[in-house]
Amino acid sequence: MKTINIILSVFVVFTSCPAWAGTITAIPPGPWTPPHTWDLHRVPHDNDIVIIPSARTVLLKNTPYAKKTNTRPVLQINIYGILDFSDNGSDKLYLNEGSKIQIYLGGEIITSSGSTEVIAIYNGVADNTL
C-alpha cells in the first residue's frame, strides 16, 4: 500500500508541474524554421524553453506552426536579442495555452513590414493576440 501511495504522489507532482522538454538556443542569426539556427539542430517544439541570446536575430517567416489549436506548441520564449517579423508576408507565431514570452533588457520584437504580423497565444477559448 505504501508503494502505491508513493507512486501516486510522484505522479501528482509531475503532472501538476510544467514539463519543459528542453532548452533550445539560437546560435547564428537566421530564420526560425531551419534546424541549423538552433543549438539542438531542430526547430523548437512543444514544451521547449527557447532562448534568443543578445546580439542574435531570429527571423520569423511565414507561420512555423499551424493555426489549429490542438497542434500548436507550448513554448517559453526568452528574448535577449531580436525576434524579427520584418519579412514581407503573412508572419504569424501561433502558440498554445500556457506559452510565455519574456523580453529582457536589450531584447526586442520588431517589424518593418506593413503586413499583419501577429503573435497569437490560445487561452483555452480564443486567441490573445499581439
Side-chain angles (χ1 to χ4, degrees), residues 7 20 48-49 54 69 78 87 98 105 107-108 130:
I7 291 171
W20 298 106
D48 275 343
I49 297 172
S54 60
T69 57
N78 298 326
D87 186 53
L105 186 62
E108 298 178 82
L130 169 68

Side-chain angles (χ1 to χ4, degrees), residues 2 16 84 98 127 129:
K2 289 182 181 180
S16 63
D84 185 347
D127 280 330
T129 59

Side-chain angles (χ1 to χ4, degrees), residues 29-85:
W32 184 280
T33 53
H36 69 267
T37 299
W38 306 100
D39 65 341
L40 298 181
H41 306 289
R42 64 170 173 78
V43 176
H45 60 68
D46 201 32
N47 295 317
D48 275 343
I49 297 172
V50 179
I51 308 291
I52 301 174
S54 60
R56 300 256 166 70
T57 300
V58 174
L59 304 167
L60 197 93
K61 296 182 177 192
N62 300 314
T63 304
Y65 308 108
K67 185 177 181 175
K68 292 176 61 177
T69 57
N70 63 342
T71 61
R72 296 180 189 187
V74 174
L75 297 176
Q76 178 178 324
I77 303 173
N78 298 326
I79 303 171
Y80 299 88
I82 298 171
L83 180 58
D84 185 347
F85 285 81

